[in-house]
Amino acid sequence: MLRAESELEASRLSTRTLAAEVISRNHVQLSWVAVAALVAVLSMTQVAALLQPEVASSQQIPLVQWTIGLATVLSVLMIMVERLGWLRPIALLRCAMVYQVAIAAAIAVFESAVPWRGQEMVRGTSSITLWLVGFMLLVPTTPLMASAYCLLAATTGPLVHYAMHEAMGVPAAPVNRLLIMYGPAFLMPFVAALLNLRVLRLERLAVRARDLGSYELLERLSRGGMGEVWKAHHRFLKRDAAVKVIRPDVLLVRQGREAEMLRRRFEQEARAIATLKSPHTVAIHDFGVMEDGGFYYAMELLEGYNLQALVAEHGPLPPARVVSIIRQACASLEEAHSRGLIHRDVKPTNLFLCQLGTTYDFCKLLDFGLVKRLLADGESLMTVDGAIAGTPSFIAPEIAAGAREVDGRVDLYGLGCVAYWLLTGTLVFDEPNVAAAVVAHMQKPPEPPSRRVEWPIPADLEALILQCLAKRPEDRPESA
């Protein structure tokens, strides 16, 4: 259990991604911080000018006017970037930290533009301290980032003061008064680190207890391109299940529209599998949305081997066993194709052998993450622009060539590659890199599997496999 918790933290609760995840869920707070700064710049400076004549005269200084304009523009940009989702959460977090320092520097310009009187008593502290306190309360980040940027923001006070003294001849304040004025701001980095450490610690506890329907995550089973599969336990039914979730770091490193596309693709996978009733397709038990906007679905937990691990551990399989496995996979694909669904990623790791009741070697087809639905107008759902769908060692030539119109025969090509692997323990095209493998599937004729092994392979089985591996879809079998 302790190992499972540590793996969960490593994948979902790293300090960097967790801070970005928190800000992605509470991003509206960043907008309000920018709105508050914008209101303060536009209104409070005018109010101060009305109440204090010396402040009004200082606002005639070009540097102050430029600072007001720049702070206004930065605040408006910060609001737009957050509201329109232009940046990924981690990038938005960095921009927020830079914005914190920029506004602190603007405050320092306003405060230093009013000349200090020689014996004037310091009444209060710099507004930079108030700005840092409000920012750290509303914009969570990592403790190290919080303290570093907070220290940088606090430093802008005396730095701007002495810079204006040197460049513009503004009278410099005595050191003791500057210490009283800006000293409290230099305590804020420690406060920010402790506060954000506490926030993220509470967030970790919340994530551990986060309700995935009625499922408690126990152990990570696998990690894929867009999701993770966990062994989970149903709290009420007291049965185990496999729960697949979108990895938060996958969403966090993408812009808002890309993340939404991944969520929709994940939802499509769950809905696609849920429509299939074949016992050779993995069954869906539940589907839902997490608090952070990610999706999860629970499916039956299978005990056994995927075909990749089976051959790697025990070597090539006898032809009769291969025929039995391929027939079961065909039963799953036939139903999917009849409903207009194409798997597009049939490979050994997506075919699982398990025990079902008293039946051994029961084959289940997994991972419909690249599923494509055939629509009446030929348009496909959830395609990813510029990406080749599938695994290079098992990819159909038409997919490798970027064809937009494909049908169930791409799955038969993948199934032919799987049968080849089961019989020989080798890939159809064992090339040194991905590009070479893709080109080989498009252009190179496959070697008959009987030439790869010393034992006999039935001629009709070999002929069927080679037919599935035909370059042109029309030369393959018409259906599973």
Side-chain angles (χ1 to χ4, degrees), residues 83-332:
R83 290 289 181 175
L84 298 178
W86 288 346
L87 296 179
R88 304 163 185 168
I90 291 177
L92 180 63
L93 189 60
R94 295 194 186 102
C95 285
M97 295 298 102
V98 174
Y99 175 72
Q100 176 191 26
V101 176
I103 296 301
I107 294 173
V109 170
F110 299 151
E111 292 176 341
S112 298
V114 179
W116 285 67
R117 297 173 183 171
Q119 301 300 319
E120 182 180 4
M121 182 178 67
V122 179
R123 301 179 184 273
T125 184
S126 170
S127 297
I128 293 177
T129 304
L130 179 62
W131 166 247
L132 296 181
V133 169
F135 197 92
M136 74 176 68
L137 288 174
L138 295 175
V139 183
T141 183
T142 66
L144 180 60
M145 183 181 288
S147 58
Y149 279 92
C150 203
L151 178 61
L152 189 59
T155 307
T156 61
L159 284 181
V160 168
H161 180 81
Y162 283 114
M164 292 181 66
H165 168 68
E166 293 294 333
M168 303 174 58
V170 175
V175 175
N176 61 333
R177 285 168 171 74
L178 281 181
L179 184 62
I180 297 173
M181 182 77 169
Y182 294 112
F186 283 90
L187 299 177
M188 293 304 104
F190 303 100
V191 177
L194 293 175
L195 179 63
N196 282 277
L197 186 64
R198 179 63 176 170
V199 168
L200 295 186
R201 186 174 296 167
L202 292 175
E203 185 64 21
R204 281 190 175 93
L205 295 175
V207 169
R208 285 179 187 161
R210 186 168 295 154
D211 191 21
L212 293 178
S214 300
Y215 295 93
E216 176 187 1
L217 300 182
L218 300 177
E219 177 186 2
R220 188 173 69 189
L221 301 177
S222 64
R223 182 184 178 111
M226 80 176 207
E228 293 178 340
V229 179
W230 288 77
K231 181 179 180 180
H233 186 72
H234 197 287
R235 296 184 178 93
F236 305 112
L237 297 179
K238 303 301 180 184
R239 72 177 181 187
D240 291 335
V243 173
K244 186 171 183 178
V245 297
I246 287 187
R247 287 173 21 221
D249 57 305
V250 171
L251 299 177
L252 293 173
V253 297
R254 286 168 167 80
Q255 296 181 359
R257 295 177 181 86
E258 289 184 81
E260 179 62 25
M261 178 66 76
L262 278 179
R263 289 192 180 100
R264 291 172 61 192
R265 172 177 158 186
F266 191 83
E267 180 181 6
Q268 178 189 346
E269 176 182 359
R271 296 186 186 279
I273 302 176
T275 64
L276 303 177
K277 305 302 181 185
S278 171
H280 297 290
T281 303
V282 65
I284 292 289
H285 295 323
D286 196 7
F287 175 78
V289 181
M290 295 184 291
E291 291 181 5
D292 57 8
F295 286 105
Y296 75 92
Y297 67 78
M299 53 190 169
E300 59 181 324
L301 180 65
L302 303 175
E303 300 288 344
Y305 288 93
N306 66 53
L307 298 186
Q308 176 82 23
L310 180 67
V311 173
E313 185 169 339
H314 300 287
L317 307 183
R321 192 179 184 190
V322 172
V323 170
S324 173
I325 293 171
I326 296 301
R327 278 178 175 170
Q328 296 177 70
C330 284
S332 174

